[in-house]
Amino acid sequence: MSAIKTIRASNDFVIKFANVNGSGSASANELFARAIMNMGVPVAPRNIFPSNIQGMPTWYEMRVSAAGWLGRRGGCDLMVAMNPQTWDRDIAELSSGGYLVYDSTKTLPRSRFREDITVLGVPLTEICNREYTDPRQRQLFKNIMYVGALTALLDMDLTVVDKLIADQYRGKDKLIDANVNALKLGYEYAKASHSCPIGLRIERCDGVGDRIFINGNDACGLGAVYGGATVAAWYPITPSTSVIEAFSGYCRKFRTDPDNGKARYAVVQAEDELASIGMVIGAAWNGARAFTATSGPGISLMQEFFGLAYFAEVPVVVFNVQRGGPSTGMPTRTQQSDLIACAYASHGDTRHVLLFPQDPYECFTFGAQAFDLADRLQTPVFVLLDLDIGMNDRLCQPFDWDDQRRYDRGKVMSAEELEAGKNFGRYLDVDGDGIAWRTIPGTHPSKGAFFSRGTTRNAYAKYSEAGTDYIYNMERLRRKFETAKKLLPAPVLQRAAQPARYGAIYYGSTSPAMAEASVLLALQGFHVDTLRVRSFPFADEVIDFIYAHDGVFVVEQNESGQLRMLLINEGEVDPKRLLRVLHYDGTPITASFISGKIAEALALRKVKVASLTTPTRKKVAS
């Protein structure tokens, strides 16, 4: 048999852990990811977990990339196979020349392995049974042991992992000693039994810099605090629950009265999604900055109340962490499948403001900004992230905040203005931007009551079924929607290195894959301008971008091309100008998928291949 041609790479490969849900592996896998980052090497991990009970398969995929690519690469170079249920599937996923680490306590026949991979057995169960008597300890320390073995196999600095364990269990010396002991057992076995390092290595570099490691849901929760939110009402649903958990945690720290210990915030778990949005609207009507967090099924149940908030013009914020649908769909998989549901939520003629963050940094900044926008526009504002951004830790630039910044409450009439007899019509447009003045309940004892109606009315909130009054309000709401364009985050344009006949539009969690795909396309001689859409309604620049190119690829993660639908409907764009690039199997989109689809389409259109140039590889996707 010829020698195996092994993969050899430094700081540029994919590791995948195949575990059993509920085994305690997640914390060990994250510990390992943080150890690589602490050696200065960028890492992009993704937790792939089941929506059902403990004992089912779970995976943790980790891309190591010195170049700083944070999108999912696809494929696997090193598999840590700890789940017998998924053994065949996991072995099949390994790239030829890859490496397999497994628990070799039980001898397996050669037929269970592949001849084109390197097999590295570590008798984890045997060592644990010898060292520990408690069944739970045996399971938990088995995970730390394989972290130790990987540290040796990849030539990592063991002291880095030691320090992370000490930090994690600070003040609990017994736990520190026990975990460090398990770590060294795995490390020493690998050193004694295998040729270390293998073809894959982690070498110290300075690729991480000052970036932080956080998930989008936690960032949204902190953004809500900085945005002035004091009320949250919700009903638990994957993958949005941790938004509220994060908000609650930050509120306990920042919104608790230091003198008496009383909470200066309210978090209410409602009996269902419909009740939760009703509570949010009630709190917002009373002047509080209020929000809910949900996912697609919750959006479906809240529809009628979204219509009320839109037509009565009550400022609320909704964080929608999207998952796979329709119906229950894929609760623990990622998609961008709720754009249409949110843009036109409720019956009748409704249009809602949407924000599309690309990473945890924008989850924080957009999360805070959403409350200013909701107050300024007096309307619901939806922040649309997804499971990939929301539940996976990701490197991003540090959060920043201007301490001089003040909340923008919009057109709120004061008690002094009311006392002076200023004309107040709750739905009266006085300056042509579509936004009327409002008052906060309690502002004045007798004047300027905060009238709101979910029914037709005139400019002074008096009930009316007159067609002219209805048309007045609908046209005013349309003007307000146009006003929103000037206030929302602008799209981000990236010109190709050479003049490009074709462009690509994308948004949200597609961003890191799109940045890398642009480089892959340029290496093939295809140059494509890109535009990242960050909000809806679309800025004029978005439509201008489309008409500046012969064709524009719309890259998104759903089956029906929902962003493309919005562009056609709202921008009155010729559908033939917009070319679909759709990915919707529930996994995050990859750069190779995007570049492959675009290159294939350009080749069919006989687009001339430009002279090949080596593009600059950016460490952080724009």
Side-chain angles (χ1 to χ4, degrees), residues 322 325-326 335-341 507 554-568 575 578-585:
Q322 299 167 92
Q335 279 190 6
Q336 298 172 320
S337 55
D338 296 344
L339 270 73
I340 298 296
Y507 61 102
V554 185
V555 185
E556 48 188 320
Q557 299 179 66
N558 57 66
E559 184 273 337
S560 52
Q562 295 183 25
L563 179 61
R564 181 176 179 272
M565 290 184 196
L566 282 178
L567 289 167
I568 292 168
L578 301 178
L579 312 171
R580 297 179 181 89
V581 177
L582 304 176
H583 181 275
Y584 48 90
D585 68 359

Side-chain angles (χ1 to χ4, degrees), residues 286-467:
N286 274 283
R289 288 194 156 185
F291 76 96
T292 190
T294 189
S295 190
I299 294 293
S300 298
L301 292 170
M302 296 177 184
Q303 294 285 307
E304 186 174 358
F305 265 138
F306 288 147
L308 172 64
Y310 173 79
F311 203 50
E313 299 180 61
V314 180
V316 300
V317 172
V318 180
F319 292 97
N320 178 10
V321 190
Q322 299 167 92
R323 66 190 208 184
S327 186
T328 307
M330 297 186 291
T332 58
R333 298 294 182 264
T334 193
Q335 279 190 6
Q336 298 172 320
S337 55
D338 296 344
L339 270 73
I340 298 296
C342 291
Y344 302 125
S346 195
H347 50 274
D349 293 318
T350 54
R351 289 179 179 84
H352 298 293
V353 172
L354 313 179
L355 302 178
F356 307 126
Q358 71 161 347
D359 62 6
Y361 175 81
E362 286 192 344
C363 285
F364 170 74
T365 56
F366 288 10
Q369 184 183 8
F371 292 92
D372 277 353
L373 290 169
D375 270 352
R376 179 81 176 270
L377 295 165
Q378 299 176 33
T379 197
V381 173
F382 293 76
V383 182
L384 267 67
L385 56 157
D386 55 38
L387 184 146
D388 186 33
I389 299 175
M391 295 196 71
N392 290 313
D393 289 330
R394 185 173 298 182
L395 284 168
C396 68
Q397 68 186 89
F399 300 164
D400 49 52
W401 187 261
D402 181 1
D403 288 335
Q404 302 303 311
R405 177 174 170 178
R406 295 294 178 263
Y407 298 141
D408 183 354
R409 299 308 300 260
K411 294 181 178 179
V412 179
M413 199 167 286
S414 67
E416 292 75 17
E417 290 170 317
L418 290 167
E419 186 65 33
K422 189 170 182 178
N423 184 25
F424 173 68
R426 175 62 190 96
Y427 299 111
L428 181 65
D429 184 2
V430 296
D431 51 16
D433 64 359
I435 305 169
W437 284 81
R438 63 177 175 133
T439 60
I440 303 297
T443 298
H444 193 282
S446 61
K447 298 178 181 179
F450 189 92
F451 290 116
S452 294
R453 287 192 184 275
T455 60
T456 54
R457 67 282 170 136
N458 66 14
Y460 292 88
K462 182 178 180 181
Y463 181 80
S464 170
E465 293 186 6

Side-chain angles (χ1 to χ4, degrees), residues 74-309:
C76 173
D77 303 309
L78 191 161
M79 175 69 72
V80 182
M82 298 296 294
N83 189 350
Q85 299 175 56
T86 61
W87 176 271
D88 292 336
R89 171 180 173 180
D90 298 331
I91 298 297
E93 193 173 341
L94 258 174
S95 301
S96 181
Y99 303 83
L100 171 71
V101 175
Y102 80 108
D103 184 351
S104 60
T105 299
K106 181 180 178 181
T107 303
L108 296 175
R110 287 189 60 180
S111 61
R112 300 300 305 278
F113 301 97
R114 284 167 44 190
E115 294 186 355
D116 63 337
I117 62 174
T118 299
V119 178
L120 304 161
V122 181
L124 298 165
T125 300
E126 178 184 315
I127 297 172
C128 282
N129 289 345
R130 184 185 70 223
E131 297 289 331
Y132 309 104
T133 56
D134 181 79
R136 186 58 177 165
Q137 282 189 330
R138 287 175 172 176
Q139 177 59 61
L140 294 176
F141 289 136
K142 187 190 297 184
N143 301 322
I144 299 299
M145 240 175 256
Y146 70 61
V147 169
L150 290 172
T151 304
L153 294 168
L154 299 177
D155 198 25
M156 293 172 61
D157 186 345
L158 188 64
T159 61
V160 171
V161 192
D162 283 345
K163 185 177 184 305
L164 283 172
I165 290 173
D167 290 343
Q168 184 171 332
Y169 297 107
R170 183 176 286 114
K172 301 176 182 178
D173 292 345
K174 288 184 178 179
L175 288 176
I176 294 174
D177 293 342
N179 278 275
V180 169
N181 178 62
L183 178 77
K184 290 181 177 177
L185 286 170
Y187 182 87
E188 290 165 0
Y189 181 89
K191 278 284 192 182
S193 305
H194 299 294
S195 179
C196 298
I198 58 175
L200 306 177
R201 301 185 66 177
I202 299 294
E203 297 181 350
R204 281 190 178 274
C205 69
D206 59 356
V208 174
D210 65 349
R211 284 183 287 174
I212 62 174
F213 192 53
I214 188 172
N215 65 65
N217 283 0
D218 282 358
C220 286
L222 184 60
V225 172
Y226 272 76
T230 56
V231 177
W234 66 299
Y235 185 78
I237 184 171
T238 303
S240 71
T241 296
S242 56
V243 173
I244 303 296
E245 292 172 346
F247 177 73
S248 298
Y250 290 126
C251 280
R252 283 193 292 273
K253 183 175 182 179
F254 298 117
R255 296 217 189 291
T256 300
D257 192 308
D259 297 325
N260 56 31
K262 290 185 177 180
R264 296 184 292 194
Y265 63 94
V267 178
V268 182
Q269 181 176 328
E271 61 267 32
D272 55 35
E273 287 89 349
L274 187 61
S276 68
I277 189 62
M279 294 175 185
V280 167
I281 292 170
W285 180 86
N286 274 283
R289 288 194 156 185
F291 76 96
T292 190
T294 189
S295 190
I299 294 293
S300 298
L301 292 170
M302 296 177 184
Q303 294 285 307
E304 186 174 358
F305 265 138
F306 288 147
L308 172 64

